[in-house]
CSV table of all heavy atoms in Angstrom, one decimal:
chain,number,residue,atom,x,y,z
A,343,LEU,N,-15.1,51.4,27.9
A,343,LEU,CA,-15.0,50.0,28.1
A,343,LEU,C,-13.6,49.6,28.7
A,343,LEU,O,-12.6,50.2,28.3
A,343,LEU,CB,-15.2,49.2,26.8
A,343,LEU,CG,-16.6,49.3,26.2
A,343,LEU,CD1,-16.7,48.6,24.9
A,343,LEU,CD2,-17.7,48.7,27.2
A,346,GLN,N,-10.3,43.8,28.6
A,346,GLN,CA,-10.1,42.6,29.4
A,346,GLN,C,-8.9,41.8,29.0
A,346,GLN,O,-8.5,41.8,27.8
A,346,GLN,CB,-11.3,41.7,29.3
A,346,GLN,CG,-12.6,42.3,29.8
A,346,GLN,CD,-12.6,42.7,31.2
A,346,GLN,OE1,-12.1,41.9,32.1
A,346,GLN,NE2,-13.2,43.9,31.6
A,351,SER,N,-7.1,35.4,34.6
A,351,SER,CA,-6.3,34.6,35.6
A,351,SER,C,-5.8,35.6,36.6
A,351,SER,O,-5.6,36.8,36.3
A,351,SER,CB,-5.1,33.9,34.9
A,351,SER,OG,-4.1,34.8,34.5
A,353,ALA,N,-2.8,36.1,37.6
A,353,ALA,CA,-1.6,36.7,37.0
A,353,ALA,C,-1.9,37.8,36.0
A,353,ALA,O,-1.3,38.8,36.0
A,353,ALA,CB,-0.7,35.6,36.4
A,354,ALA,N,-2.9,37.6,35.2
A,354,ALA,CA,-3.3,38.6,34.2
A,354,ALA,C,-3.9,39.8,34.8
A,354,ALA,O,-3.6,40.9,34.4
A,354,ALA,CB,-4.3,38.0,33.2
A,364,ALA,N,2.9,51.4,36.5
A,364,ALA,CA,4.0,51.9,35.7
A,364,ALA,C,3.6,53.1,34.8
A,364,ALA,O,4.4,54.0,34.7
A,364,ALA,CB,4.6,50.7,34.8
A,365,ALA,N,2.5,53.0,34.3
A,365,ALA,CA,2.0,54.1,33.4
A,365,ALA,C,1.8,55.4,34.2
A,365,ALA,O,2.1,56.5,33.7
A,365,ALA,CB,0.7,53.7,32.7
A,369,SER,N,3.9,58.9,33.7
A,369,SER,CA,3.2,60.1,33.3
A,369,SER,C,3.3,61.2,34.3
A,369,SER,O,3.1,62.4,34.0
A,369,SER,CB,1.7,59.8,33.1
A,369,SER,OG,1.1,59.6,34.4
A,383,ASP,N,-14.6,37.0,37.0
A,383,ASP,CA,-13.5,36.9,36.1
A,383,ASP,C,-13.4,38.0,35.0
A,383,ASP,O,-12.9,37.8,33.9
A,383,ASP,CB,-13.5,35.5,35.3
A,383,ASP,CG,-13.0,34.4,36.3
A,383,ASP,OD1,-12.2,34.6,37.2
A,383,ASP,OD2,-13.5,33.2,36.1
A,385,ILE,N,-12.7,42.4,34.7
A,385,ILE,CA,-12.3,43.6,35.4
A,385,ILE,C,-13.5,44.6,35.3
A,385,ILE,O,-14.0,44.9,34.2
A,385,ILE,CB,-11.1,44.3,34.7
A,385,ILE,CG1,-9.9,43.3,34.9
A,385,ILE,CG2,-10.8,45.7,35.4
A,385,ILE,CD1,-8.6,43.8,34.1
A,387,GLY,N,-13.5,47.5,37.3
A,387,GLY,CA,-13.0,48.9,37.6
A,387,GLY,C,-11.5,48.8,37.7
A,387,GLY,O,-10.9,47.8,38.0
A,390,ALA,N,-5.4,54.0,39.1
A,390,ALA,CA,-3.9,54.2,39.4
A,390,ALA,C,-3.8,55.4,40.3
A,390,ALA,O,-4.7,56.3,40.3
A,390,ALA,CB,-3.2,54.4,38.1
A,405,VAL,N,-8.3,53.2,45.9
A,405,VAL,CA,-9.4,54.0,46.1
A,405,VAL,C,-10.0,54.4,44.7
A,405,VAL,O,-11.2,54.4,44.5
A,405,VAL,CB,-9.1,55.3,46.9
A,405,VAL,CG1,-10.3,56.3,46.9
A,405,VAL,CG2,-8.8,54.9,48.4
A,411,ALA,N,-15.1,51.3,39.8
A,411,ALA,CA,-16.0,50.1,39.7
A,411,ALA,C,-17.4,50.5,40.2
A,411,ALA,O,-18.4,50.1,39.6
A,411,ALA,CB,-15.5,49.0,40.6
A,417,ASP,N,-23.4,51.1,41.8
A,417,ASP,CA,-23.7,50.6,43.2
A,417,ASP,C,-22.5,50.8,44.0
A,417,ASP,O,-21.4,50.7,43.5
A,417,ASP,CB,-24.2,49.2,43.1
A,417,ASP,CG,-24.8,48.7,44.4
A,417,ASP,OD1,-24.7,49.4,45.4
A,417,ASP,OD2,-25.4,47.6,44.3
A,422,GLY,N,-18.8,40.2,46.1
A,422,GLY,CA,-18.5,39.2,45.1
A,422,GLY,C,-17.3,39.6,44.2
A,422,GLY,O,-16.9,38.9,43.3
A,451,ALA,N,0.9,42.4,45.0
A,451,ALA,CA,2.2,41.8,44.5
A,451,ALA,C,3.1,42.9,43.9
A,451,ALA,O,2.6,43.9,43.5
A,451,ALA,CB,1.9,40.7,43.5
Side-chain angles (χ1 to χ4, degrees):
L343 294 177
Q346 299 296 321
S351 70
S369 74
D383 288 328
I385 297 173
V405 172
D417 195 346

